[in-house]
Amino acid sequence: MPQRTLLDLTCGLVESQSLAQFQERTEALLAKLFHADHVAFCRMHPDLPTGFEWKASTTGHFLQSYHQWYQDDFVFRWLTQHPNIAARDTEMLRGRKAEETETYRRSRASDLRLRHVLAVFLAPEHQVGSGAVALYSERVKSFSPESRRLLQGLTPALSGAFQNFARFGALSAHNQLLEEMLRQEGATAIVLDARRREYFRTGAVTSLLERWFPSRSDRDDGGIPRTWRERMDAIMARSVLLTPTTHVWREERGMSALEVRFSRLPPIEGRDLWELRMKEVHEIPEKWRQILTARRFEVAALVIQGLSNKQIADKLRIAEYTANDHVDAVYKKLKVSSRAELIALARRS
């Protein structure tokens, strides 16, 4: 194998995080290496709509209905009975003629002349990352025994690549699920793994922490307050595996507070995860609800939080003059004339 081709192929095997990326990086290399006219990659998973995910530049139209006839494909029947064993069509057919097979008939119907195939079914022991790589030739001469041995030698690396696709795919799916769940809940949260590495954070986290802990020296490289990090490390260190755990603490700044919940999440792909969820609370006397409308009560809370009229308008998605009217009405109802007086009244109440 040419050294440059081997290097490029190795990079494609190791660095690809999806089947599409793998196809892009290795299809031409494999075609050149095995003197193949077509290369097809297949990922198998029961959760996929058809059970098969194919990536192929030149045989996609031939394989798009594969889920309807795969049981009649001599390649599929042989490979699934001999997992992780590379084979040529001459070995799979056992004396039968390729022209007599459903596979050949369908290839002709798709305007292809697939005379020969060299393929391997990748089936790891734990069943995560099953797939196949198929090389097709339209030439009269079949794939050589040396090509079969070469594909067999690449099988462990190919299997490892397909397992990576499954892992990355699962993590991505779970990541999206968690993000969507937190977004719907309106949560401000960071998810960390057991090694204290950040998994992801919702959009409002960074600005919230910078507002509450304005000094950079108070926050670590990830923007998390150092005192929180020490607290979390202690909790995680003494946590019993698989035991649901939630710890709550509170930061106070005048009339506002930041409630913090640190909880263990269900494992994903064997990774223990923790959620750091934050909620900003602005203290406002409950009895004001009897004096103010629901909207003006909300406006009063934002004034106490320190927002300007324009910021209140932006947050509530109302016109600035409407926000001005609400603020003036709050002052009138509560018999104060300024923000300072409103905050002082809230504290006394």
Side-chain angles (χ1 to χ4, degrees), residues 178 182 189-201 205 209 220 222-225 228-233 236 249 261-268 271-278:
L178 281 170
L182 293 174
I190 298 174
V191 177
L192 307 164
D193 66 17
R195 299 178 71 177
R196 284 63 167 173
R197 295 177 303 193
E198 187 169 318
Y199 196 58
F200 72 84
R201 65 172 60 196
V205 167
L209 291 178
D220 64 16
I224 297 176
W228 291 12
R229 180 71 74 176
E230 294 169 3
R231 187 192 300 255
M232 291 188 299
D233 286 347
M236 295 168 77
W249 63 90
R261 297 175 63 85
F262 187 54
S263 308
R264 181 188 290 279
L265 296 177
I268 294 178
R271 297 175 69 181
D272 290 326
L273 299 178
W274 292 77
E275 179 193 60
L276 180 65
R277 183 177 294 214
M278 292 146 272

mmCIF file of all heavy atoms in Angstrom, residues 178 182 189-201 205 209 220 222-225 228-233 236 249 261-268 271-278:
data_model
loop_
_atom_site.group_PDB
_atom_site.id
_atom_site.type_symbol
_atom_site.label_atom_id
_atom_site.label_comp_id
_atom_site.label_asym_id
_atom_site.label_seq_id
_atom_site.Cartn_x
_atom_site.Cartn_y
_atom_site.Cartn_z
ATOM 1 N N LEU A 178 -31.136 16.714 25.496
ATOM 2 C CA LEU A 178 -30.976 17.459 26.740
ATOM 3 C C LEU A 178 -31.119 18.958 26.494
ATOM 4 O O LEU A 178 -31.782 19.662 27.256
ATOM 5 C CB LEU A 178 -29.607 17.158 27.350
ATOM 6 C CG LEU A 178 -29.471 15.832 28.102
ATOM 7 C CD1 LEU A 178 -28.011 15.568 28.433
ATOM 8 C CD2 LEU A 178 -30.306 15.837 29.362
ATOM 9 N N LEU A 182 -33.964 21.299 28.173
ATOM 10 C CA LEU A 182 -33.624 22.465 28.986
ATOM 11 C C LEU A 182 -34.164 23.750 28.366
ATOM 12 O O LEU A 182 -34.596 24.657 29.075
ATOM 13 C CB LEU A 182 -32.104 22.556 29.163
ATOM 14 C CG LEU A 182 -31.473 21.440 30.000
ATOM 15 C CD1 LEU A 182 -29.960 21.550 29.970
ATOM 16 C CD2 LEU A 182 -31.971 21.466 31.427
ATOM 17 N N ALA A 189 -28.495 26.357 32.542
ATOM 18 C CA ALA A 189 -27.802 25.201 33.119
ATOM 19 C C ALA A 189 -26.521 24.873 32.370
ATOM 20 O O ALA A 189 -26.356 25.200 31.197
ATOM 21 C CB ALA A 189 -28.730 23.982 33.122
ATOM 22 N N ILE A 190 -25.628 24.198 33.092
ATOM 23 C CA ILE A 190 -24.407 23.624 32.539
ATOM 24 C C ILE A 190 -24.439 22.135 32.855
ATOM 25 O O ILE A 190 -24.800 21.741 33.960
ATOM 26 C CB ILE A 190 -23.139 24.250 33.168
ATOM 27 C CG1 ILE A 190 -23.077 25.747 32.872
ATOM 28 C CG2 ILE A 190 -21.878 23.566 32.657
ATOM 29 C CD1 ILE A 190 -21.934 26.463 33.577
ATOM 30 N N VAL A 191 -24.061 21.292 31.876
ATOM 31 C CA VAL A 191 -23.961 19.856 32.111
ATOM 32 C C VAL A 191 -22.488 19.471 32.059
ATOM 33 O O VAL A 191 -21.765 19.817 31.115
ATOM 34 C CB VAL A 191 -24.760 19.058 31.066
ATOM 35 C CG1 VAL A 191 -24.573 17.551 31.280
ATOM 36 C CG2 VAL A 191 -26.250 19.408 31.167
ATOM 37 N N LEU A 192 -22.045 18.771 33.090
ATOM 38 C CA LEU A 192 -20.650 18.356 33.224
ATOM 39 C C LEU A 192 -20.577 16.839 33.287
ATOM 40 O O LEU A 192 -21.522 16.180 33.734
ATOM 41 C CB LEU A 192 -20.032 18.926 34.505
ATOM 42 C CG LEU A 192 -20.141 20.432 34.730
ATOM 43 C CD1 LEU A 192 -19.847 20.764 36.187
ATOM 44 C CD2 LEU A 192 -19.169 21.164 33.821
ATOM 45 N N ASP A 193 -19.441 16.271 32.860
ATOM 46 C CA ASP A 193 -19.257 14.839 33.053
ATOM 47 C C ASP A 193 -18.522 14.595 34.369
ATOM 48 O O ASP A 193 -18.156 15.534 35.088
ATOM 49 C CB ASP A 193 -18.540 14.190 31.867
ATOM 50 C CG ASP A 193 -17.092 14.649 31.691
ATOM 51 O OD1 ASP A 193 -16.514 15.218 32.657
ATOM 52 O OD2 ASP A 193 -16.531 14.434 30.612
ATOM 53 N N ALA A 194 -18.310 13.324 34.706
ATOM 54 C CA ALA A 194 -17.732 12.967 36.001
ATOM 55 C C ALA A 194 -16.285 13.426 36.147
ATOM 56 O O ALA A 194 -15.762 13.481 37.256
ATOM 57 C CB ALA A 194 -17.834 11.462 36.222
ATOM 58 N N ARG A 195 -15.641 13.769 35.029
ATOM 59 C CA ARG A 195 -14.257 14.243 35.075
ATOM 60 C C ARG A 195 -14.189 15.778 35.097
ATOM 61 O O ARG A 195 -13.172 16.370 34.803
ATOM 62 C CB ARG A 195 -13.484 13.696 33.876
ATOM 63 C CG ARG A 195 -13.439 12.168 33.865
ATOM 64 C CD ARG A 195 -12.723 11.620 32.663
ATOM 65 N NE ARG A 195 -11.286 11.868 32.735
ATOM 66 C CZ ARG A 195 -10.415 11.443 31.827
ATOM 67 N NH1 ARG A 195 -10.845 10.755 30.777
ATOM 68 N NH2 ARG A 195 -9.137 11.700 31.943
ATOM 69 N N ARG A 196 -15.337 16.401 35.416
ATOM 70 C CA ARG A 196 -15.455 17.857 35.567
ATOM 71 C C ARG A 196 -15.331 18.593 34.239
ATOM 72 O O ARG A 196 -15.109 19.797 34.203
ATOM 73 C CB ARG A 196 -14.412 18.412 36.531
ATOM 74 C CG ARG A 196 -14.651 18.188 38.018
ATOM 75 C CD ARG A 196 -14.665 16.776 38.433
ATOM 76 N NE ARG A 196 -14.586 16.623 39.895
ATOM 77 C CZ ARG A 196 -14.710 15.471 40.523
ATOM 78 N NH1 ARG A 196 -14.945 14.360 39.829
ATOM 79 N NH2 ARG A 196 -14.621 15.413 41.836
ATOM 80 N N ARG A 197 -15.475 17.877 33.122
ATOM 81 C CA ARG A 197 -15.413 18.526 31.818
ATOM 82 C C ARG A 197 -16.817 18.946 31.389
ATOM 83 O O ARG A 197 -17.765 18.212 31.595
ATOM 84 C CB ARG A 197 -14.812 17.580 30.773
ATOM 85 C CG ARG A 197 -13.358 17.228 31.042
ATOM 86 C CD ARG A 197 -12.829 16.241 30.041
ATOM 87 N NE ARG A 197 -13.621 15.022 30.018
ATOM 88 C CZ ARG A 197 -13.243 13.900 29.414
ATOM 89 N NH1 ARG A 197 -12.100 13.858 28.787
ATOM 90 N NH2 ARG A 197 -14.013 12.828 29.436
ATOM 91 N N GLU A 198 -16.892 20.129 30.776
ATOM 92 C CA GLU A 198 -18.203 20.634 30.375
ATOM 93 C C GLU A 198 -18.736 19.877 29.167
ATOM 94 O O GLU A 198 -18.046 19.697 28.166
ATOM 95 C CB GLU A 198 -18.110 22.123 30.065
ATOM 96 C CG GLU A 198 -19.453 22.770 29.806
ATOM 97 C CD GLU A 198 -19.381 24.282 29.752
ATOM 98 O OE1 GLU A 198 -18.670 24.866 30.600
ATOM 99 O OE2 GLU A 198 -20.015 24.864 28.863
ATOM 100 N N TYR A 199 -19.990 19.431 29.257
ATOM 101 C CA TYR A 199 -20.664 18.705 28.187
ATOM 102 C C TYR A 199 -21.363 19.700 27.266
ATOM 103 O O TYR A 199 -21.222 19.660 26.066
ATOM 104 C CB TYR A 199 -21.660 17.737 28.833
ATOM 105 C CG TYR A 199 -22.188 16.638 27.955
ATOM 106 C CD1 TYR A 199 -21.331 15.737 27.339
ATOM 107 C CD2 TYR A 199 -23.555 16.488 27.776
ATOM 108 C CE1 TYR A 199 -21.826 14.724 26.560
ATOM 109 C CE2 TYR A 199 -24.055 15.466 26.997
ATOM 110 C CZ TYR A 199 -23.191 14.584 26.390
ATOM 111 O OH TYR A 199 -23.687 13.584 25.611
ATOM 112 N N PHE A 200 -22.142 20.598 27.822
ATOM 113 C CA PHE A 200 -22.679 21.746 27.109
ATOM 114 C C PHE A 200 -23.319 22.711 28.102
ATOM 115 O O PHE A 200 -23.498 22.382 29.259
ATOM 116 C CB PHE A 200 -23.684 21.345 26.013
ATOM 117 C CG PHE A 200 -25.007 20.845 26.528
ATOM 118 C CD1 PHE A 200 -26.025 21.730 26.882
ATOM 119 C CD2 PHE A 200 -25.248 19.494 26.658
ATOM 120 C CE1 PHE A 200 -27.243 21.275 27.346
ATOM 121 C CE2 PHE A 200 -26.463 19.030 27.131
ATOM 122 C CZ PHE A 200 -27.460 19.908 27.474
ATOM 123 N N ARG A 201 -23.675 23.903 27.638
ATOM 124 C CA ARG A 201 -24.351 24.891 28.468
ATOM 125 C C ARG A 201 -25.434 25.570 27.644
ATOM 126 O O ARG A 201 -25.321 25.691 26.427
ATOM 127 C CB ARG A 201 -23.371 25.923 29.026
ATOM 128 C CG ARG A 201 -22.713 26.804 27.985
ATOM 129 C CD ARG A 201 -21.897 27.937 28.615
ATOM 130 N NE ARG A 201 -20.824 27.446 29.477
ATOM 131 C CZ ARG A 201 -20.190 28.216 30.364
ATOM 132 N NH1 ARG A 201 -20.528 29.489 30.485
ATOM 133 N NH2 ARG A 201 -19.235 27.713 31.106
ATOM 134 N N VAL A 205 -26.237 31.132 30.266
ATOM 135 C CA VAL A 205 -25.352 30.862 31.408
ATOM 136 C C VAL A 205 -24.223 31.873 31.527
ATOM 137 O O VAL A 205 -23.974 32.436 32.592
ATOM 138 C CB VAL A 205 -24.780 29.437 31.320
ATOM 139 C CG1 VAL A 205 -23.627 29.263 32.297
ATOM 140 C CG2 VAL A 205 -25.857 28.407 31.607
ATOM 141 N N LEU A 209 -23.535 34.367 34.812
ATOM 142 C CA LEU A 209 -22.399 34.219 35.720
ATOM 143 C C LEU A 209 -21.508 35.458 35.710
ATOM 144 O O LEU A 209 -20.980 35.855 36.754
ATOM 145 C CB LEU A 209 -21.592 32.974 35.343
ATOM 146 C CG LEU A 209 -22.285 31.634 35.592
ATOM 147 C CD1 LEU A 209 -21.415 30.476 35.130
ATOM 148 C CD2 LEU A 209 -22.647 31.469 37.058
ATOM 149 N N ASP A 220 -13.298 30.333 37.126
ATOM 150 C CA ASP A 220 -12.239 29.545 36.509
ATOM 151 C C ASP A 220 -12.274 29.720 34.996
ATOM 152 O O ASP A 220 -13.024 30.537 34.463
ATOM 153 C CB ASP A 220 -12.340 28.073 36.915
ATOM 154 C CG ASP A 220 -13.632 27.414 36.420
ATOM 155 O OD1 ASP A 220 -14.304 27.977 35.533
ATOM 156 O OD2 ASP A 220 -13.972 26.321 36.923
ATOM 157 N N GLY A 222 -13.534 28.001 32.729
ATOM 158 C CA GLY A 222 -14.841 27.704 32.150
ATOM 159 C C GLY A 222 -15.908 28.698 32.529
ATOM 160 O O GLY A 222 -17.064 28.566 32.110
ATOM 161 N N GLY A 223 -15.535 29.711 33.325
ATOM 162 C CA GLY A 223 -16.490 30.736 33.729
ATOM 163 C C GLY A 223 -17.302 30.370 34.954
ATOM 164 O O GLY A 223 -18.164 31.141 35.387
ATOM 165 N N ILE A 224 -17.038 29.207 35.557
ATOM 166 C CA ILE A 224 -17.777 28.772 36.745
ATOM 167 C C ILE A 224 -17.105 29.368 37.981
ATOM 168 O O ILE A 224 -15.874 29.340 38.094
ATOM 169 C CB ILE A 224 -17.802 27.242 36.847
ATOM 170 C CG1 ILE A 224 -18.545 26.653 35.629
ATOM 171 C CG2 ILE A 224 -18.475 26.780 38.138
ATOM 172 C CD1 ILE A 224 -18.542 25.144 35.590
ATOM 173 N N PRO A 225 -17.884 29.933 38.912
ATOM 174 C CA PRO A 225 -17.283 30.482 40.143
ATOM 175 C C PRO A 225 -16.405 29.449 40.842
ATOM 176 O O PRO A 225 -16.790 28.286 40.980
ATOM 177 C CB PRO A 225 -18.512 30.842 40.987
ATOM 178 C CG PRO A 225 -19.598 31.094 39.987
ATOM 179 C CD PRO A 225 -19.347 30.128 38.873
ATOM 180 N N TRP A 228 -17.943 27.581 43.658
ATOM 181 C CA TRP A 228 -18.869 26.539 43.214
ATOM 182 C C TRP A 228 -18.099 25.305 42.782
ATOM 183 O O TRP A 228 -18.502 24.190 43.052
ATOM 184 C CB TRP A 228 -19.705 27.037 42.039
ATOM 185 C CG TRP A 228 -20.693 28.087 42.371
ATOM 186 C CD1 TRP A 228 -20.786 28.817 43.533
ATOM 187 C CD2 TRP A 228 -21.742 28.565 41.519
ATOM 188 N NE1 TRP A 228 -21.818 29.714 43.457
ATOM 189 C CE2 TRP A 228 -22.426 29.584 42.233
ATOM 190 C CE3 TRP A 228 -22.151 28.242 40.242
ATOM 191 C CZ2 TRP A 228 -23.502 30.262 41.681
ATOM 192 C CZ3 TRP A 228 -23.226 28.919 39.687
ATOM 193 C CH2 TRP A 228 -23.895 29.912 40.405
ATOM 194 N N ARG A 229 -17.005 25.530 42.061
ATOM 195 C CA ARG A 229 -16.209 24.400 41.566
ATOM 196 C C ARG A 229 -15.698 23.565 42.731
ATOM 197 O O ARG A 229 -15.736 22.334 42.688
ATOM 198 C CB ARG A 229 -15.046 24.932 40.733
ATOM 199 C CG ARG A 229 -14.151 23.869 40.155
ATOM 200 C CD ARG A 229 -14.818 23.090 39.054
ATOM 201 N NE ARG A 229 -14.913 23.856 37.822
ATOM 202 C CZ ARG A 229 -15.390 23.349 36.685
ATOM 203 N NH1 ARG A 229 -15.827 22.101 36.646
ATOM 204 N NH2 ARG A 229 -15.467 24.093 35.599
ATOM 205 N N GLU A 230 -15.219 24.222 43.777
ATOM 206 C CA GLU A 230 -14.737 23.494 44.956
ATOM 207 C C GLU A 230 -15.875 22.708 45.605
ATOM 208 O O GLU A 230 -15.702 21.555 46.020
ATOM 209 C CB GLU A 230 -14.132 24.478 45.957
ATOM 210 C CG GLU A 230 -12.850 25.153 45.444
ATOM 211 C CD GLU A 230 -12.415 26.311 46.329
ATOM 212 O OE1 GLU A 230 -13.090 26.545 47.368
ATOM 213 O OE2 GLU A 230 -11.423 26.978 45.988
ATOM 214 N N ARG A 231 -17.044 23.332 45.683
ATOM 215 C CA ARG A 231 -18.201 22.673 46.283
ATOM 216 C C ARG A 231 -18.616 21.441 45.449
ATOM 217 O O ARG A 231 -18.882 20.365 45.981
ATOM 218 C CB ARG A 231 -19.357 23.665 46.376
ATOM 219 C CG ARG A 231 -20.581 23.148 47.134
ATOM 220 C CD ARG A 231 -21.755 24.091 46.916
ATOM 221 N NE ARG A 231 -21.474 25.437 47.381
ATOM 222 C CZ ARG A 231 -21.962 25.965 48.498
ATOM 223 N NH1 ARG A 231 -22.746 25.241 49.262
ATOM 224 N NH2 ARG A 231 -21.675 27.192 48.840
ATOM 225 N N MET A 232 -18.652 21.625 44.123
ATOM 226 C CA MET A 232 -19.047 20.528 43.247
ATOM 227 C C MET A 232 -18.047 19.377 43.301
ATOM 228 O O MET A 232 -18.433 18.202 43.310
ATOM 229 C CB MET A 232 -19.201 21.030 41.818
ATOM 230 C CG MET A 232 -20.384 21.965 41.620
ATOM 231 S SD MET A 232 -20.706 22.376 39.877
ATOM 232 C CE MET A 232 -19.180 23.187 39.421
ATOM 233 N N ASP A 233 -16.766 19.715 43.313
ATOM 234 C CA ASP A 233 -15.740 18.669 43.403
ATOM 235 C C ASP A 233 -15.929 17.825 44.656
ATOM 236 O O ASP A 233 -15.803 16.595 44.622
ATOM 237 C CB ASP A 233 -14.339 19.303 43.410
ATOM 238 C CG ASP A 233 -13.936 19.822 42.035
ATOM 239 O OD1 ASP A 233 -14.626 19.478 41.057
ATOM 240 O OD2 ASP A 233 -12.950 20.569 41.949
ATOM 241 N N MET A 236 -19.073 15.555 44.191
ATOM 242 C CA MET A 236 -18.849 14.457 43.245
ATOM 243 C C MET A 236 -17.886 13.425 43.813
ATOM 244 O O MET A 236 -18.024 12.226 43.552
ATOM 245 C CB MET A 236 -18.328 15.025 41.925
ATOM 246 C CG MET A 236 -19.350 15.903 41.216
ATOM 247 S SD MET A 236 -18.671 16.875 39.848
ATOM 248 C CE MET A 236 -18.545 15.618 38.577
ATOM 249 N N TRP A 249 -27.838 25.417 46.828
ATOM 250 C CA TRP A 249 -27.313 26.534 47.603
ATOM 251 C C TRP A 249 -27.804 27.838 46.976
ATOM 252 O O TRP A 249 -28.458 27.834 45.931
ATOM 253 C CB TRP A 249 -25.795 26.488 47.723
ATOM 254 C CG TRP A 249 -25.003 26.600 46.461
ATOM 255 C CD1 TRP A 249 -24.546 27.732 45.879
ATOM 256 C CD2 TRP A 249 -24.527 25.510 45.650
ATOM 257 N NE1 TRP A 249 -23.828 27.433 44.749
ATOM 258 C CE2 TRP A 249 -23.792 26.083 44.590
ATOM 259 C CE3 TRP A 249 -24.637 24.118 45.712
ATOM 260 C CZ2 TRP A 249 -23.186 25.309 43.605
ATOM 261 C CZ3 TRP A 249 -24.047 23.352 44.737
ATOM 262 C CH2 TRP A 249 -23.324 23.935 43.697
ATOM 263 N N ARG A 261 -28.899 24.570 41.839
ATOM 264 C CA ARG A 261 -29.165 23.148 42.089
ATOM 265 C C ARG A 261 -28.135 22.325 41.325
ATOM 266 O O ARG A 261 -27.956 22.499 40.122
ATOM 267 C CB ARG A 261 -30.573 22.754 41.626
ATOM 268 C CG ARG A 261 -31.680 23.469 42.378
ATOM 269 C CD ARG A 261 -33.043 23.135 41.792
ATOM 270 N NE ARG A 261 -33.355 21.718 41.918
ATOM 271 C CZ ARG A 261 -33.901 21.156 42.999
ATOM 272 N NH1 ARG A 261 -34.223 21.924 44.047
ATOM 273 N NH2 ARG A 261 -34.157 19.875 43.049
ATOM 274 N N PHE A 262 -27.448 21.454 42.032
ATOM 275 C CA PHE A 262 -26.429 20.594 41.423
ATOM 276 C C PHE A 262 -26.912 19.157 41.542
ATOM 277 O O PHE A 262 -27.031 18.632 42.651
ATOM 278 C CB PHE A 262 -25.087 20.797 42.127
ATOM 279 C CG PHE A 262 -23.936 20.089 41.468
ATOM 280 C CD1 PHE A 262 -23.660 20.288 40.117
ATOM 281 C CD2 PHE A 262 -23.126 19.230 42.193
ATOM 282 C CE1 PHE A 262 -22.599 19.644 39.511
ATOM 283 C CE2 PHE A 262 -22.053 18.588 41.591
ATOM 284 C CZ PHE A 262 -21.790 18.790 40.246
ATOM 285 N N SER A 263 -27.218 18.524 40.402
ATOM 286 C CA SER A 263 -27.882 17.217 40.421
ATOM 287 C C SER A 263 -27.199 16.231 39.488
ATOM 288 O O SER A 263 -26.655 16.610 38.447
ATOM 289 C CB SER A 263 -29.343 17.346 39.984
ATOM 290 O OG SER A 263 -30.016 18.336 40.719
ATOM 291 N N ARG A 264 -27.271 14.958 39.853
ATOM 292 C CA ARG A 264 -26.802 13.887 38.970
ATOM 293 C C ARG A 264 -27.869 13.593 37.920
ATOM 294 O O ARG A 264 -29.058 13.537 38.216
ATOM 295 C CB ARG A 264 -26.520 12.608 39.772
ATOM 296 C CG ARG A 264 -26.010 11.455 38.901
ATOM 297 C CD ARG A 264 -25.935 10.162 39.712
ATOM 298 N NE ARG A 264 -24.879 10.200 40.700
ATOM 299 C CZ ARG A 264 -23.601 9.958 40.434
ATOM 300 N NH1 ARG A 264 -23.218 9.682 39.201
ATOM 301 N NH2 ARG A 264 -22.703 9.990 41.392
ATOM 302 N N LEU A 265 -27.422 13.421 36.667
ATOM 303 C CA LEU A 265 -28.318 13.050 35.577
ATOM 304 C C LEU A 265 -28.141 11.566 35.244
ATOM 305 O O LEU A 265 -27.134 10.959 35.613
ATOM 306 C CB LEU A 265 -28.006 13.882 34.330
ATOM 307 C CG LEU A 265 -28.235 15.392 34.437
ATOM 308 C CD1 LEU A 265 -27.794 16.068 33.143
ATOM 309 C CD2 LEU A 265 -29.687 15.708 34.730
ATOM 310 N N PRO A 266 -29.074 10.960 34.526
ATOM 311 C CA PRO A 266 -28.892 9.568 34.082
ATOM 312 C C PRO A 266 -27.666 9.460 33.184
ATOM 313 O O PRO A 266 -27.382 10.372 32.400
ATOM 314 C CB PRO A 266 -30.179 9.283 33.295
ATOM 315 C CG PRO A 266 -31.168 10.266 33.807
ATOM 316 C CD PRO A 266 -30.388 11.493 34.149
ATOM 317 N N PRO A 267 -26.908 8.371 33.264
ATOM 318 C CA PRO A 267 -25.717 8.198 32.417
ATOM 319 C C PRO A 267 -26.094 8.169 30.938
ATOM 320 O O PRO A 267 -27.170 7.711 30.567
ATOM 321 C CB PRO A 267 -25.145 6.849 32.869
ATOM 322 C CG PRO A 267 -25.750 6.598 34.207
ATOM 323 C CD PRO A 267 -27.098 7.237 34.184
ATOM 324 N N ILE A 268 -25.190 8.664 30.090
ATOM 325 C CA ILE A 268 -25.347 8.601 28.647
ATOM 326 C C ILE A 268 -24.121 7.910 28.069
ATOM 327 O O ILE A 268 -22.999 8.361 28.274
ATOM 328 C CB ILE A 268 -25.489 10.018 28.040
ATOM 329 C CG1 ILE A 268 -26.804 10.660 28.509
ATOM 330 C CG2 ILE A 268 -25.441 9.964 26.516
ATOM 331 C CD1 ILE A 268 -26.996 12.072 28.003
ATOM 332 N N ARG A 271 -21.397 7.446 30.400
ATOM 333 C CA ARG A 271 -20.788 8.640 30.992
ATOM 334 C C ARG A 271 -21.694 9.175 32.090
ATOM 335 O O ARG A 271 -22.882 9.410 31.874
ATOM 336 C CB ARG A 271 -20.591 9.720 29.932
ATOM 337 C CG ARG A 271 -19.652 9.331 28.815
ATOM 338 C CD ARG A 271 -19.598 10.404 27.742
ATOM 339 N NE ARG A 271 -18.948 11.616 28.210
ATOM 340 C CZ ARG A 271 -18.793 12.696 27.456
ATOM 341 N NH1 ARG A 271 -19.252 12.710 26.225
ATOM 342 N NH2 ARG A 271 -18.201 13.769 27.938
ATOM 343 N N ASP A 272 -21.145 9.359 33.273
ATOM 344 C CA ASP A 272 -21.887 9.973 34.370
ATOM 345 C C ASP A 272 -21.940 11.475 34.143
ATOM 346 O O ASP A 272 -20.914 12.116 33.884
ATOM 347 C CB ASP A 272 -21.206 9.680 35.711
ATOM 348 C CG ASP A 272 -21.333 8.210 36.091
ATOM 349 O OD1 ASP A 272 -22.376 7.615 35.770
ATOM 350 O OD2 ASP A 272 -20.390 7.675 36.694
ATOM 351 N N LEU A 273 -23.129 12.047 34.236
ATOM 352 C CA LEU A 273 -23.306 13.471 33.977
ATOM 353 C C LEU A 273 -23.944 14.164 35.168
ATOM 354 O O LEU A 273 -24.734 13.570 35.905
ATOM 355 C CB LEU A 273 -24.181 13.681 32.740
ATOM 356 C CG LEU A 273 -23.654 13.122 31.420
ATOM 357 C CD1 LEU A 273 -24.657 13.356 30.305
ATOM 358 C CD2 LEU A 273 -22.312 13.738 31.056
ATOM 359 N N TRP A 274 -23.602 15.437 35.333
ATOM 360 C CA TRP A 274 -24.143 16.268 36.407
ATOM 361 C C TRP A 274 -24.671 17.558 35.796
ATOM 362 O O TRP A 274 -24.092 18.098 34.847
ATOM 363 C CB TRP A 274 -23.059 16.597 37.437
ATOM 364 C CG TRP A 274 -22.605 15.415 38.230
ATOM 365 C CD1 TRP A 274 -21.765 14.415 37.829
ATOM 366 C CD2 TRP A 274 -22.978 15.106 39.573
ATOM 367 N NE1 TRP A 274 -21.584 13.512 38.847
ATOM 368 C CE2 TRP A 274 -22.312 13.908 39.931
ATOM 369 C CE3 TRP A 274 -23.789 15.728 40.516
ATOM 370 C CZ2 TRP A 274 -22.447 13.331 41.176
ATOM 371 C CZ3 TRP A 274 -23.926 15.150 41.770
ATOM 372 C CH2 TRP A 274 -23.260 13.962 42.092
ATOM 373 N N GLU A 275 -25.755 18.063 36.371
ATOM 374 C CA GLU A 275 -26.346 19.320 35.898
ATOM 375 C C GLU A 275 -26.205 20.390 36.969
ATOM 376 O O GLU A 275 -26.554 20.187 38.119
ATOM 377 C CB GLU A 275 -27.826 19.123 35.572
ATOM 378 C CG GLU A 275 -28.497 20.408 35.105
ATOM 379 C CD GLU A 275 -30.006 20.293 35.082
ATOM 380 O OE1 GLU A 275 -30.601 20.028 36.150
ATOM 381 O OE2 GLU A 275 -30.582 20.461 34.004
ATOM 382 N N LEU A 276 -25.702 21.542 36.563
ATOM 383 C CA LEU A 276 -25.610 22.728 37.409
ATOM 384 C C LEU A 276 -26.664 23.704 36.890
ATOM 385 O O LEU A 276 -26.481 24.338 35.849
ATOM 386 C CB LEU A 276 -24.209 23.333 37.324
ATOM 387 C CG LEU A 276 -23.932 24.583 38.157
ATOM 388 C CD1 LEU A 276 -24.011 24.268 39.640
ATOM 389 C CD2 LEU A 276 -22.576 25.161 37.807
ATOM 390 N N ARG A 277 -27.800 23.792 37.588
ATOM 391 C CA ARG A 277 -28.916 24.613 37.133
ATOM 392 C C ARG A 277 -29.045 25.852 38.014
ATOM 393 O O ARG A 277 -29.000 25.758 39.230
ATOM 394 C CB ARG A 277 -30.211 23.813 37.148
ATOM 395 C CG ARG A 277 -31.409 24.582 36.613
ATOM 396 C CD ARG A 277 -32.670 23.745 36.558
ATOM 397 N NE ARG A 277 -32.585 22.670 35.599
ATOM 398 C CZ ARG A 277 -33.611 22.219 34.887
ATOM 399 N NH1 ARG A 277 -34.808 22.778 35.030
ATOM 400 N NH2 ARG A 277 -33.455 21.229 34.046
ATOM 401 N N MET A 278 -29.224 27.005 37.373
ATOM 402 C CA MET A 278 -29.299 28.283 38.086
ATOM 403 C C MET A 278 -30.636 28.975 37.827
ATOM 404 O O MET A 278 -31.171 28.898 36.724
ATOM 405 C CB MET A 278 -28.165 29.205 37.620
ATOM 406 C CG MET A 278 -26.777 28.741 38.027
ATOM 407 S SD MET A 278 -25.504 29.155 36.794
ATOM 408 C CE MET A 278 -25.570 27.716 35.724
#
